[in-house]
């Protein structure tokens, strides 16, 4: 389906004829007999083209053009004009109209102008998205990494939520990054100056949820704590039925209290919830509150599993490796061809969370000292003592390599006595001669 086209003309015969022509070319057409009616159906994210006649009763085309460009100065508006209105059409171009068509015009000319206008609109919106993405990804806080179509669409939806106060439902398998996305939404909202408040709903009894979320006579709950900020309820699908109804009641009460005020009421509690299971399916099976689901589904985002965004795996893995290496203050290991192949062949049932765990294991194992070593993704994670042992080996080896086996410099960097360093090198089978260039 091609982009939408809004067509405005007070003459029904012209509306129907040109509307049919555009629909036959697979455009999504909306027809309006008056310009004033059309003003309410688009905003600055409108992805298509507007065609309007100049001479119309009520609001004429020129007035409509000025008001449309006030909504978005880069909206492609095509003006239809009669022979005697050429000077007006030229004025429209000067104001900011994309083009004008002098009646009568051929179908081919109309379709050519509309296609070029749609192409320009697509480019404008892509450039805006890239600018927003660059600003968001370079700012402090969590980043939504990935080049897959699903992640690009997710980021686009998140940017549109930046000034929104709606309750948000995040659905996705375990480990797909729902908490990261919740933090991203909060950090890019007007509430970012306050911390995100969170509560895990799984395994909570009705009484526990009531006390933790809404408080009791002795203390305020998370809901009150999150006033003016954002409350993130994790695994809402695990809430007991009574707790679901209590939450719906709270949301309804808040909506009634804030309705008369401005829509962007930043003093209320903004809610983000997540679920590892489809609430639509659970609701149809009678396992989730229909009323609560109807409230939540108004703004629902789906997070794709890692196996459906394979092109993002290596990018994410390298990012996790660099982050872990920086945290442990050691050099980031390099992946060999066999490791890269295994990364892409594995289906990642634990999703991004599992990918991060495996990347940290690679850093802790110091695998960059043996490029021929394979990395078995199915092997259980090492125990705490094994990790500590391997981490010590990695730190000392890394320091020896960077200082070319000069022990005094290694001692100074690691703040170790000479005998302690010798003992640890002996324990790990390290010889300073192996690190001299």
């Amino acid at each position: 389906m091609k982009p939408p086209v809004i067509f405005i003309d007070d003459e029904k015969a012209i509306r129907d004829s040109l509307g049919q022509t555009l629909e036959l070319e697979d455009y999504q057409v909306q027809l309006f007999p008056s310009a004033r009616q059309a003003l309410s159906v688009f905003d600055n994210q409108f992805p298509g083209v507007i065609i309007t006649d100049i001479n119309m009763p009520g609001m004429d085309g020129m007035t409509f053009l000025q008001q449309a460009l006030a909504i978005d100065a880069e909206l492609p508006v095509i003006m239809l004009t009669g022979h005697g209105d050429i000077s007006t059409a030229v004025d429209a171009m000067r104001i900011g109209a994309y083009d004008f068509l002098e009646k009568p015009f051929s179908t081919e000319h109309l379709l050519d102008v509309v296609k070029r206008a749609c192409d320009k609109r697509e480019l404008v919106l892509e450039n805006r998205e890239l600018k927003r993405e660059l600003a968001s990804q370079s700012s402090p806080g969590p980043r939504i990494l990935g080049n897959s179509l699903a992640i690009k669409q997710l980021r686009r939806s998140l940017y549109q939520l930046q000034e929104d106060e709606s309750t948000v439902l995040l659905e996705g398998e375990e480990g797909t990054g729902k908490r990261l996305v919740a933090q991203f939404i909060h950090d890019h909202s007007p509430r970012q100056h306050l911390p995100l408040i969170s509560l895990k709903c799984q395994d909570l009894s009705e009484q526990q949820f009531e006390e933790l979320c809404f408080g009791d006579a002795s203390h305020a709950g998370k809901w009150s704590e999150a006033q003016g900020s954002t409350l993130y309820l994790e695994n809402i699908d695990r809430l007991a039925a009574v707790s679901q109804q209590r939450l719906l009641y709270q949301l309804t009460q808040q909506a009634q209290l804030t309705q008369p005020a401005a829509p962007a009421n930043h003093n209320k509690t903004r809610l983000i919830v997540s679920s590892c299971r489809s609430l639509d399916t659970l609701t149809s099976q009678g396992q989730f509150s229909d009323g609560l689901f109807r409230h939540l589904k108004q703004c629902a985002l789906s997070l794709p599993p890692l196996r459906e965004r394979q092109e993002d795996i290596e990018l994410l893995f390298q990012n996790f490796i660099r982050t872990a290496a920086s945290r442990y203050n050691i050099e980031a290991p390099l992946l060999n061809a066999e490791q890269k192949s295994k990364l892409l062949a594995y289906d990642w049932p634990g999703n991004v969370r599992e990918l991060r765990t495996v990347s940290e294991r690679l850093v802790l194992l110091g695998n960059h000292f043996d490029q021929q070593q394979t990395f078995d993704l199915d092997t259980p994670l090492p125990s705490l003592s094994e990790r500590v042992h391997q981490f010590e080996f990695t730190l000392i080896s890394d320091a020896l390599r960077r200082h070319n086996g000069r022990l005094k410099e290694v001692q100074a960097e690691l703040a170790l006595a000479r005998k302690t360093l010798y003992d640890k090198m002996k324990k790990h089978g390290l010889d300073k001669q192996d690190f001299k260039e």
Side-chain angles (χ1 to χ4, degrees):
M1 185 73 73
K2 292 180 180 178
V5 176
I6 292 174
F7 182 62
I8 310 165
D9 199 301
D10 61 310
E11 295 187 33
K12 186 177 186 304
I14 295 178
R15 284 200 313 274
D16 293 344
S17 174
L18 292 186
Q20 186 178 51
T21 297
L22 292 166
E23 286 176 347
L24 288 173
E25 293 296 318
D26 212 23
Y27 287 100
Q28 307 168 57
V29 184
Q30 288 181 278
L31 302 176
F32 293 92
S34 77
R36 194 174 302 279
Q37 289 178 352
L39 275 174
S40 62
V41 300
F42 63 89
D43 56 20
N44 62 359
Q45 296 297 317
F46 179 66
V49 173
I50 300 174
I51 306 173
T52 181
D53 193 16
I54 288 183
N55 290 314
M56 293 182 292
M59 180 183 289
D60 63 16
M62 291 296 287
T63 304
F64 171 82
L65 174 65
Q66 292 170 336
Q67 295 196 22
L69 295 180
I71 295 173
D72 185 344
E74 296 179 290
L75 267 174
V77 181
I78 301 168
M79 314 295 290
L80 301 184
T81 176
H83 179 69
D85 299 321
I86 296 298
S87 60
T88 305
V90 172
D91 289 340
M93 294 287 289
R94 195 174 293 119
I95 291 172
Y98 175 77
D99 204 345
F100 71 90
L101 297 173
E102 182 182 0
K103 302 174 183 177
F105 47 81
S106 67
T107 298
E108 291 75 13
H109 185 37
L110 167 69
L111 295 177
D112 177 64
V113 173
V114 170
K115 182 182 183 306
R116 286 190 284 107
C118 286
D119 290 343
K120 181 181 179 182
R121 183 59 174 172
E122 182 180 11
L123 185 61
V124 165
L125 294 180
E126 283 181 358
N127 287 338
R128 288 181 186 175
E129 182 182 341
L130 287 172
K131 289 178 181 177
R132 287 195 300 266
E133 183 173 337
L134 181 62
S136 294
Q137 299 293 66
S138 59
S139 62
R143 295 182 297 159
I144 312 299
L145 295 178
N147 297 316
S148 61
L149 178 60
I151 292 301
K152 288 180 179 178
Q153 291 174 339
L154 175 63
R155 280 199 297 260
R156 187 179 300 119
S157 298
L158 293 176
Y159 299 142
Q160 293 172 359
L161 282 174
Q162 288 189 9
E163 297 300 324
D164 202 314
E165 292 291 294
S166 302
T167 297
V168 181
L169 166 62
L170 304 175
E171 291 186 312
E173 296 177 7
E174 285 279 2
T176 49
K178 297 184 289 296
R179 181 178 178 81
L180 178 80
V181 171
Q183 189 70 58
F184 185 95
I185 294 172
H186 174 74
D187 288 353
H188 291 83
S189 76
R191 301 163 178 266
Q192 59 184 267
H193 61 287
L194 292 173
L196 174 72
I197 308 301
S198 61
L199 176 62
K200 294 183 178 181
C201 297
Q202 62 269 36
D203 304 323
L204 291 181
S205 67
E206 299 165 14
Q207 183 178 352
Q208 288 173 325
F209 178 74
E210 178 70 26
E211 292 177 355
L212 289 171
C213 192
F214 302 112
D216 55 24
S218 63
H219 73 283
K222 299 282 188 179
W223 187 276
S224 296
E225 188 180 344
Q227 284 188 350
S229 184
T230 307
L231 175 61
Y232 173 49
L233 297 181
E234 186 177 341
N235 291 329
I236 195 174
D237 53 308
R238 303 293 180 183
L239 270 184
V242 172
S243 299
Q244 294 173 26
Q245 293 302 323
R246 175 69 172 90
L247 180 60
L248 177 60
Y249 172 79
Q250 189 71 25
L251 287 167
T252 303
Q253 288 295 104
Q254 178 171 261
Q256 291 174 350
L257 290 173
T258 58
Q259 204 169 25
N265 188 331
H266 302 322
N267 292 322
K268 69 178 184 179
T269 298
R270 199 264 181 93
L271 185 65
I272 301 175
V273 304
S274 70
S275 173
C276 292
R277 300 181 292 171
S278 167
L279 293 190
D280 190 6
T281 301
L282 293 177
T283 302
S284 65
Q285 295 173 348
Q287 299 179 42
F288 195 82
S289 163
D290 180 66
L292 182 56
F293 175 61
R294 277 190 276 111
H295 181 93
L296 298 176
K297 72 176 183 179
Q298 296 176 28
C299 185
L301 300 176
S302 179
L303 277 64
L306 194 55
R307 61 182 175 276
E308 294 181 5
R309 44 183 295 215
Q310 194 178 54
E311 59 264 56
D312 295 336
I313 290 176
E314 188 174 346
L315 170 68
L316 290 168
F317 197 70
Q318 296 287 6
N319 178 69
F320 293 146
I321 283 178
R322 287 192 297 269
T323 301
S326 175
R327 184 165 65 249
Y328 298 130
N329 195 29
I330 58 179
E331 186 173 321
L334 301 175
L335 290 179
N336 58 40
E338 184 176 0
Q339 290 168 336
K340 290 182 181 180
S341 177
K342 283 197 171 190
L343 284 176
L344 299 178
Y346 190 56
D347 64 357
W348 299 104
N351 293 298
V352 179
R353 184 183 300 160
E354 182 181 11
L355 187 72
R356 184 191 300 112
T357 300
V358 171
S359 69
E360 293 191 354
R361 178 168 62 179
L362 178 59
V363 171
L364 287 170
L365 288 175
N367 203 31
H368 58 297
F369 293 111
D370 183 1
Q371 294 298 329
Q372 300 306 312
Q373 183 180 353
T374 59
F375 201 68
D376 189 355
L377 297 172
D378 299 321
T379 302
L381 284 171
S383 66
L384 177 60
S385 60
E386 290 171 331
R387 293 191 205 187
V388 172
H389 178 86
Q390 187 61 49
F391 184 46
E392 185 178 77
F393 167 80
T394 300
L395 284 177
I396 296 173
S397 300
D398 192 57
L400 285 166
R401 181 186 54 78
R402 286 185 287 101
H403 294 295
N404 297 318
R406 294 188 291 271
L407 298 187
K408 285 187 178 181
E409 295 176 16
V410 174
Q411 283 178 249
E413 178 181 322
L414 300 180
L416 291 175
R418 187 175 185 84
K419 184 178 186 307
T420 303
L421 177 57
Y422 273 123
D423 290 344
K424 289 185 180 295
M425 288 174 61
K426 183 177 180 180
K427 179 177 71 172
H428 292 292
L430 297 172
D431 188 334
K432 67 178 181 181
Q433 297 301 325
D434 294 335
F435 297 90
K436 291 186 179 293
E437 293 183 349

